Amino acid sequence: MSYVGEIVHGIRTLLTGMAVTGKYFFRARKEIITQQYPDNRDQLRMFERFRGEVVMPHNENNEHRCTGCQACEIACPNGSIEIIWDRKVDEKTGKKKKYIVKHIYHLSMCTMCNLCIIACPTDAIKMAQNFENSVYDRSYLTKVLNKPGSKLMDGIDE
Amino acid sequence: MYDFTPMVEGINRWLHSMMPDAAATFAGWVLVALVYLALFAVMGLVLVLVERKVAAFFQLRLGPNRVGPWGLLQTAADAIKLLLKEPVGTKRADMFLYNLAPFLLIIGAMMALSVIPFAPGLQAFDINIGVFFIAAVSSVGVLGVLIAGWASNNKYSLLGAMRSGAQIISYELSMSLAILTMVLLAGSLQVSQIIEQQRDYWFIFKGHVPAWIAFMIFVIAGTAETNRTPFDLPEAESELGAGFHTEYSGMKFAFFFLSEFVNMFIISAVAVILFFGGWMPLHLDGWTGFNQVMDFIPPIFWFLIKMSVMLFLLMWFRWTFPRLRIDQLLKLEWKYLLPMNLVNLLLMAFIVLMGWHL
Ligand code: SF4
Ligand code: SF4
């Protein structure tokens, strides 16, 4: 590029940059991204892809979709999930079938990588969006995801 | 109508009627010094706050909003905090130079400030080599930066100071040449006369294209002189800690911090004086009514409006451009700005010679 061409090109690129930031400046009042937490704690909505914690949804009959297949336990890169399982006889079919006793999840070790969610064949677990996870003792961060007395939803198979 | 001269002279007469001449002169000096110190403090506080707010809006943030209404008292609170801080220094630092450096910086800035007219009659020191004086004393500041870096006994400080030296010496050249271009048009170095010359048209209109080029170069060189992004290599917090003022704390740090903003004010003031007519209202040829309306706005407001625009421009630069590398910095000066400046100077001389300016 010629000497003069370089100067003109330089000025043009500078102006392009200034146009971008200038646009931000004059629209700033409408598009402020600062969240004034905790003032707006009640209205605060986290954005869609935010991952805060692994949870297991239960329906109104206290049923979940986890078959105890352990795919999530194997998928987890840092051993945050432990499944304690057993077998019992299914009344309908009369066959022995796996079921979970406890789905133990260590929030303190989880990196929110989402691999367990992808691995789960029955979509039994998902990511929640809460982020207020501070507690006074580390042991509170070890959670049992299946609620006490819950059982597998009908029609879910490995 | 809005001339401050009678007021200033009135105060002067009043002082002289109160005490003997020598004492009155001295009292006058003290008064001026106090006014400038107050101005210095207020300017620092306001500019820091404005900078932080403007920066926040550029980044779609809110900026300080907790202390006082809309965070207006934030910088005052910061200043109190800095006053209360313990001054911690380094071992084996050169204590005398270490303590001297911040004051050198401030003295340079204050001296340059004294020549700036805020409104007709509101000027401390109307020396006949005004703009030359500003260019000269603004380089006292770099001495402060160099001494600070050297005396701190810290390699980051020294690196920052060396960069600052290389940078300011190079860009001083561009700035002086840009000033010279406009002095050619004004035919005087005295600040009050330069402003008087722009009664009908501001120099930016009078000087045609060379004035625009000179303005551009002046703003670039001025940004470099004040060590602001994209020319903030002497501080470069991501590379050098905080550069030359790494080892300073408390009030001495505040001096460095404030002097950046005062220097920014001075650069904007010189740009306003040289290119946009100082406190002169905007006049257009033949629009008598318009001109009268413009005259109605007091000159001090004209000055402040123009200053705000210039300061905003400098802040805009700061929050847009990434920092240059040292070789890019020197290349920009010696390979682009300097030759452009020299050609521009010749062009302006030719225009003035032919009488083509308005
Ligand atoms: S999100 Fe990642 S780290 Fe956390 S439990 Fe699932 S697989 Fe393990
Ligand atoms: S949560 Fe999903 S992957 Fe994990 S054991 Fe239950 S069904 Fe299998």
Side-chain angles (χ1 to χ4, degrees), chain A residues 3-153:
Chain A
Y3 182 78
V4 179
E6 265 175 43
I7 293 175
V8 172
H9 176 72
I11 294 174
R12 234 203 1 249
T13 51
L14 290 183
L15 288 181
T16 314
M18 285 178 68
V20 172
T21 47
K23 226 181 286 165
Y24 278 140
F25 181 82
F26 290 107
R27 287 195 319 218
R29 233 147 306 256
K30 270 178 264 156
E31 296 180 18
I32 295 245
I33 49 175
T34 309
Q35 296 292 342
Q36 304 207 52
Y37 180 81
D39 285 3
N40 68 343
R41 190 155 174 261
D42 298 335
Q43 305 96 345
L44 183 64
R45 289 278 162 276
M46 292 311 280
F47 38 97
E48 193 84 326
R49 55 178 199 174
F50 176 77
R51 302 175 193 153
E53 180 187 12
V54 175
V55 292
M56 183 181 289
H58 288 60
N59 68 3
E60 59 280 2
N61 303 328
N62 203 13
E63 291 172 335
H64 55 73
R65 300 168 63 88
C66 174
T67 56
C69 70
Q70 289 176 292
C72 54
E73 187 178 11
I74 295 162
C76 181
N78 46 31
S80 303
I81 294 177
E82 286 172 66
I83 312 273
I84 298 177
W85 55 274
D86 206 348
R87 284 183 201 280
K88 66 177 175 194
V89 177
D90 190 340
E91 289 106 43
K92 279 188 210 140
T93 53
K95 278 194 224 154
K96 268 199 162 183
K97 200 176 164 191
K98 217 171 167 182
Y99 75 100
I100 49 167
V101 180
K102 278 180 177 174
H103 186 296
I104 299 170
Y105 166 59
H106 299 275
L107 176 57
S108 54
M109 299 199 292
C110 175
T111 58
M112 314 299 164
C113 67
N114 212 33
L115 290 179
C116 52
I117 315 280
I118 296 170
C120 181
T122 55
D123 289 333
I125 45 179
K126 65 169 194 166
M127 278 289 177
Q129 308 219 308
N130 68 314
F131 53 91
E132 291 169 326
N133 287 328
S134 56
V135 287
Y136 283 104
D137 193 288
R138 200 157 61 118
S139 59
Y140 293 128
L141 293 176
T142 301
K143 302 184 177 185
V144 178
L145 292 189
N146 54 328
K147 290 187 189 152
S150 61
K151 61 180 198 339
L152 180 61
M153 226 179 265

Side-chain angles (χ1 to χ4, degrees), chain B residues 116-297:
Chain B
I116 308 245
F118 294 92
L122 271 194
Q123 185 180 11
F125 188 36
D126 194 11
I127 190 176
N128 59 357
I129 50 164
V131 279
F132 178 63
F133 180 80
I134 294 176
V137 293
S138 66
S139 16
V140 173
V142 68
L143 207 61
V145 171
L146 277 174
I147 290 177
W150 179 257
S152 296
N153 189 24
N154 173 328
K155 51 181 176 281
Y156 293 127
S157 299
L158 187 59
L159 274 173
M162 288 301 149
R163 285 181 181 186
S164 176
Q167 172 178 331
I168 294 189
I169 288 168
S170 319
Y171 279 83
E172 192 79 33
L173 211 64
S174 270
M175 196 157 109
S176 307
L177 276 173
I179 291 178
L180 203 61
T181 316
M182 298 319 285
V183 166
L184 212 55
L185 192 59
S188 167
L189 284 165
Q190 194 168 359
V191 175
S192 58
Q193 278 198 16
I194 292 179
I195 294 178
E196 200 51 45
Q197 295 264 327
Q198 307 181 53
R199 187 167 283 284
D200 43 354
Y201 289 106
W202 299 348
F203 277 166
I204 196 97
F205 303 129
K206 258 192 188 178
H208 307 301
V209 180
W212 280 100
I213 297 176
F215 175 65
M216 213 179 68
I217 292 172
F218 182 85
V219 170
I220 295 173
T223 318
E225 289 263 303
T226 47
N227 291 340
R228 284 173 66 82
T229 320
F231 302 102
D232 64 341
L233 295 117
E235 292 169 34
E237 47 281 271
S238 47
E239 305 159 24
L240 297 180
F244 61 90
H245 59 61
T246 309
E247 296 298 348
Y248 285 86
S249 60
M251 228 28 224
K252 281 182 238 161
F253 164 73
F255 278 172
F256 282 113
F257 194 63
L258 282 188
S259 78
E260 177 189 324
F261 286 91
V262 176
N263 281 332
M264 193 171 124
F265 185 87
I266 291 166
I267 293 295
S268 314
V270 175
V272 164
I273 289 165
L274 283 180
F275 300 96
F276 299 102
W279 40 261
M280 278 291 173
L282 176 66
H283 282 170
L284 291 176
D285 204 17
W287 295 35
T288 328
F290 178 77
N291 290 351
Q292 268 163 0
V293 172
M294 291 289 127
D295 279 336
F296 193 68
I297 303 172

